Amino acid sequence: MLEHLARKLTRKEKQDSSADFDSTGPIPNHVAVIMDGNGRWAKRRNLPRIAGHRSGMKTVKEIVKASDEIGVKYLTLYAFSTENWKRPREEVDFLMKLPQEFLSTELEELIERNVRIRMVGSKEELPAHTLSALETAEKRTKENTGLQLNFALNYGGRKEIALAVKDIGTRLQAGEIDLEQLDEEMISRHLYTSDIPDPDLLIRTSGELRLSNFMLWQLAYTELWFTDVLWPDFTREHLYQAIAEYQGRARRYGAV
């Protein structure tokens, strides 16, 4: 037990300390983030859960800026999962308003930064105001050539794969493709992320050590980095730590 506690403290001290990444070293092309811990952040302060989500939105702004400045090309944020519909109605309604609120205040700056915005997930079930805000942002930034900011909203990895299989099966039945053509590349082309490279680095905050149905196909060879820091407390320095560790790993993709 003491050994376990020592490991935990060492891990926390390491992640609380500042770590510089090598700006001349490899920068992950695609960073994906499971933004976790908003509710716990609020609970520790005796605040309603929605206060944690609002504070987390400020972190989104900071991490988007930091990612853009260091040369990340794709940033995917897990904003709302297909399982999150099970949460209390008041919380779900608030979460559905956040994209509209965030984009109403940040879209102009994102456009100035040459950021392109994409939604990744199912548009079904989304409220009209949420969908309208995202579609407007996509339309206004579609010609931008800088960082691509992907909001994974109403996203579920298993649902995504099931829909891909269904689409491919329909094409097989229609004779549009042959069974011999079915391979990994074809499946990838039928996912929400068909035109987005797989993540190089996945970051998950709040100390949870699981994927939570996020990008199950795409994360096959992604480097995983977990931190105990809650999302509202996550800073660009924590992002730099994750990238510094990423730069120190050998990505062999199954080779020696």
Side-chain angles (χ1 to χ4, degrees), residues 94-112:
F94 183 82
L95 289 170
M96 287 295 108
K97 293 175 182 176
L98 278 184
Q100 184 179 16
E101 184 175 334
F102 177 79
L103 293 169
S104 67
T105 58
E106 305 300 334
L107 183 56
E108 295 305 323
E109 182 177 341
L110 292 172
I111 291 173
E112 290 179 7

Side-chain angles (χ1 to χ4, degrees), residues 166-177 186 189-190:
K166 183 177 180 180
D167 289 344
I168 292 170
T170 299
R171 294 185 63 194
L172 283 167
Q173 286 184 328
E176 297 177 12
I177 55 176
M186 178 176 287
R189 290 200 304 268
H190 284 78

Side-chain angles (χ1 to χ4, degrees), residues 8 44 48 64 69-70 80 83 96-97 107 114 117 126 134-135 150 164 167 171 199 204 207 217 243-245:
K8 185 174 181 180
R44 290 178 184 179
V64 170
E69 290 166 4
I70 64 178
F80 191 90
E83 290 74 32
M96 287 295 108
K97 293 175 182 176
L107 183 56
N114 197 28
I117 295 173
L126 290 180
L134 288 164
E135 289 180 340
N150 305 309
D167 289 344
R171 294 185 63 194
R204 177 160 189 162
W217 177 274
I243 293 177
E245 186 165 327

